[in-house]
Amino acid sequence: MEYTVDIYNLSSRFYQDYPHAAYPEIVVKKDRPYSCLLIEYMDDLFICIPFRSHVRHRYAYHFKTSVRSKQSRSGLDYSKMVLIQNTEYLDIQTPAVVDQDEYKEVMQNLPRIVKEAYAYLSDYKDDLRGVRKLHPKEWQRRYAMSTLPYFDQLLNT
């Protein structure tokens, strides 16, 4: 499987177009951007998975070797991924800052992370399109607190 990855922050333009009041599941911290692992999904669509300090569910890659992961359950949260088509949604001016040990762990586990992120998105997309419907309780467990419903229009094309 071929893919392109990088680490970015989301731009202020993204947060203007997706305000917290209308999109409450999109992670936002006052005065601090969330750094995201950006994965090319299709030619014009990217998955942006946020690095989070506390991830308490299984729909994430949980860091195991970082200092931060030993104090809290840090990880890449698939349930809070956002889909990006507009490159103006990426802050290319401000470098994204992540813990070096977490960055190293991401690079070492990149095939697994990409596979898990694609699977999480693919299961949602299959349910959305009626290809393989999830049981309502399973859908609730996986996607009730997810950001993916905000991007149904992108996924239905």
Side-chain angles (χ1 to χ4, degrees), residues 9-10 15 28-35 91 94-97:
N9 295 324
L10 294 172
Y15 290 108
V28 62
K29 285 269 188 178
K30 194 165 181 74
D31 303 324
R32 182 172 70 84
Y34 265 105
S35 296
D91 183 352
T94 309
V97 178

Side-chain angles (χ1 to χ4, degrees), residues 89-157:
Y89 288 163
L90 302 174
D91 183 352
I92 59 172
Q93 304 300 320
T94 309
V97 178
V98 296
D99 291 350
Q100 277 305 114
D101 47 354
E102 289 184 357
Y103 176 82
K104 183 178 176 183
E105 190 172 339
V106 166
M107 292 302 125
Q108 290 172 339
N109 292 284
L110 202 51
R112 173 186 168 186
I113 292 166
V114 170
K115 181 180 176 184
E116 290 174 356
Y118 279 15
Y120 183 81
L121 179 56
S122 180
D123 286 351
Y124 179 82
K125 194 172 168 180
D126 286 350
D127 182 84
L128 178 67
R129 291 180 170 179
V131 173
R132 189 177 59 87
K133 294 297 273 181
L134 295 170
H135 186 278
K137 286 186 180 182
E138 180 64 19
W139 191 96
Q140 189 73 15
R141 251 190 309 281
R142 288 191 199 187
Y143 302 110
M145 305 297 283
S146 176
T147 55
L148 288 179
Y150 303 146
F151 303 99
D152 283 357
Q153 187 176 357
L154 289 176
L155 294 171
N156 261 332
T157 57

Side-chain angles (χ1 to χ4, degrees), residues 66-80:
S66 72
V67 172
R68 189 165 71 147
S69 70
K70 296 188 186 337
Q71 298 167 350
S72 64
R73 290 192 54 159
S74 61
L76 290 166
D77 191 344
Y78 305 140
S79 73
K80 302 302 179 189

